[in-house]
Amino acid sequence: LWEEAILPARFAAYRAAWLDNLALTSGLVWRGCGREKVALLFPDDAGLFFPEPDPEVQARAAALFPAERGRFSLLELAGPGGDSAALADTLWELAWAGVVGNDSFAALRQGCRTRFRTSARNEPRAGSFNRWRGSRPLAGNWHRWPPGPAEPADPFAAEMLRRERVRQLLARYGLLSRELLARELPALRWGALFRTLRLMELSGELRGGIFFETLSAPQFINHAGWRALRREPDLDACWFVNAADPASCAGILPGLPVRRPATWLVYEGERLSAVAEKNGEMLTLTPGASPGVCRPLFDTLLARDCRPRREVRLRSVNGEPVAAPALEAALRESGFVKRGGVWELRRRY
């Protein structure tokens, strides 16, 4: 989702090499935070987000690595004749627990391609080496994450840590409410930070109030967010966001679809103009909107660097097959071609 939806929605012509280069030049890393979920962060910031892991899980990770701070390839960890398939499964399990990591994004991409499953066959046979290699996270080197710091016992230090977490969240969202923090890591959720938010409001660092009627009260915003909120929006801007994007309000605000990775929301300024489900197969347009408003989204789906789609196949608009002459004309103008009752927009090579 990071490379198929989240980053392409923010950067024109996003390329996977950008993330790789950023990791090499800045130290950016990925770290597991739940089953098939990763956070992107700098190692020095790990203490803000990740509490000290369970000692039993740490012991399992320690048993796999010859040295606490070393970095090892999968084959080095498996050893001669070792079961690399079982080891890979264990490494992914420990990666989701946040105690093991890999210094390459290529290992993560390979895991996505295989759905983090490895071939049961331990050694490659003749003619199957590529399949064997493709089922194992051989890229990069694996390492243990050092244990994160425990929550400070000193009340003042603990409060300063919570305030830094609030500042990180405000840099991410601009405004904080209970709904927006519901899917965050435990240390970043509403219940853990509400008292700190109130104290930061009393100190003048934050403003509290009701800034959006559709969100529950109270809400908190910093001064930079307040200035941004008061600026006149660009009502002509056309933009799109995946329903499962962390910045999406799908599943949070009424009238929006549920959070599914194959669902996209297309906006014109502040106005929701279209909802594209199943990656464009089902299109729901708001009154006055044209299918052409979705063309930037469709172009991104076809041209993105990570697993681009061969075509967008549009089967229905507003729950009905495309039949209205005005809609057909708009689709042809957007580059769609009708094939067997389905409108297709194909990738241009």
Side-chain angles (χ1 to χ4, degrees):
L1 195 67
W2 273 105
E3 295 199 305
E4 290 183 21
I6 297 173
L7 294 172
R10 289 159 172 77
F11 301 99
Y14 165 78
R15 293 293 179 263
W18 296 0
L19 194 59
D20 296 330
N21 290 336
L22 188 63
L24 289 173
T25 57
S26 70
L28 185 77
V29 296
W30 64 267
R31 184 165 177 174
C33 54
R35 178 72 184 174
E36 297 185 15
K37 293 181 181 179
V38 296
L40 304 185
L41 72 157
F42 298 106
D44 292 343
D45 294 333
L48 287 174
F49 310 113
F50 294 93
E52 189 174 9
D54 181 83
E56 184 178 336
V57 179
Q58 291 188 68
R60 288 185 60 198
L64 295 178
F65 288 82
E68 181 179 359
R69 296 188 178 276
R71 294 175 180 262
F72 306 90
S73 70
L74 177 71
L75 298 182
E76 286 174 330
L77 291 174
D83 190 342
S84 60
L87 175 61
D89 292 338
T90 301
L91 287 172
W92 284 124
E93 181 185 350
L94 294 173
W96 306 138
V99 296
V100 163
N102 188 292
D103 57 14
S104 169
F105 284 97
L108 197 58
R109 295 187 188 104
Q110 186 273 342
C112 290
R113 287 192 294 270
T114 62
R115 298 185 178 182
F116 304 99
R117 298 170 185 167
T118 52
S119 171
R121 184 179 298 142
N122 190 42
E123 295 299 333
R125 295 181 180 177
S128 65
F129 177 74
N130 288 336
R131 185 166 59 252
W132 176 89
R133 182 178 60 182
S135 70
R136 283 153 173 76
L138 297 173
N141 292 308
W142 292 89
H143 61 86
R144 289 174 57 194
W145 285 110
E151 290 292 311
D154 177 63
F156 179 78
E159 178 61 26
M160 292 301 101
L161 180 61
R162 288 191 292 269
R163 290 193 179 208
E164 188 57 36
R165 288 169 178 163
V166 167
R167 295 181 186 114
Q168 290 282 341
L169 288 168
L170 285 166
R172 181 183 306 174
Y173 291 108
L175 175 140
L176 301 182
S177 72
R178 181 185 296 274
E179 296 92 337
L180 294 178
L181 301 186
R183 293 178 176 84
E184 285 291 344
L185 295 172
L188 306 179
R189 290 178 187 165
W190 186 256
L193 297 177
F194 179 73
R195 181 178 180 275
T196 297
L197 288 164
R198 279 297 193 198
L199 291 173
M200 294 175 74
E201 179 190 10
L202 290 172
S203 71
E205 186 172 348
L206 302 183
R207 288 173 175 258
I210 302 176
F211 305 99
F212 291 91
E213 293 181 355
T214 45
L215 293 173
S216 64
Q219 302 157 21
F220 297 91
I221 194 169
N222 60 12
H223 297 291
W226 174 247
R227 291 192 295 269
L229 193 63
R230 297 180 67 187
R231 286 198 296 265
E232 288 294 325
D234 184 359
L235 299 179
D236 296 326
C238 181
W239 56 282
F240 55 87
V241 64
N242 188 273
D245 192 303
S248 168
C249 287
I252 297 175
L253 300 184
L256 295 180
V258 297
R259 300 176 76 86
R260 291 195 180 104
T263 298
W264 298 79
L265 289 76
V266 182
Y267 289 84
E268 292 178 281
E270 296 178 315
R271 174 177 176 260
L272 177 64
S273 295
V275 175
E277 299 177 76
K278 296 184 178 180
N279 287 312
E281 286 193 19
M282 301 165 56
L283 200 60
T284 302
L285 300 174
T286 57
S290 165
V293 74
C294 297
R295 184 59 194 265
L297 165 63
F298 296 154
D299 286 343
T300 298
L301 295 179
L302 296 172
R304 65 191 180 193
D305 192 41
C306 182
R307 294 200 294 188
R309 302 184 65 83
R310 293 184 61 184
E311 71 275 323
V312 174
R313 298 170 61 87
L314 178 60
R315 299 183 182 274
S316 68
V317 176
N318 293 341
E320 301 289 339
V322 180
L327 272 178
E328 291 193 359
L331 288 173
R332 287 195 178 93
E333 186 177 346
S334 297
F336 278 84
V337 176
K338 191 173 184 179
R339 292 186 175 89
V342 177
W343 290 86
E344 291 186 353
L345 179 66
R346 298 207 166 195
R347 188 196 314 169
R348 296 176 182 175
Y349 292 93

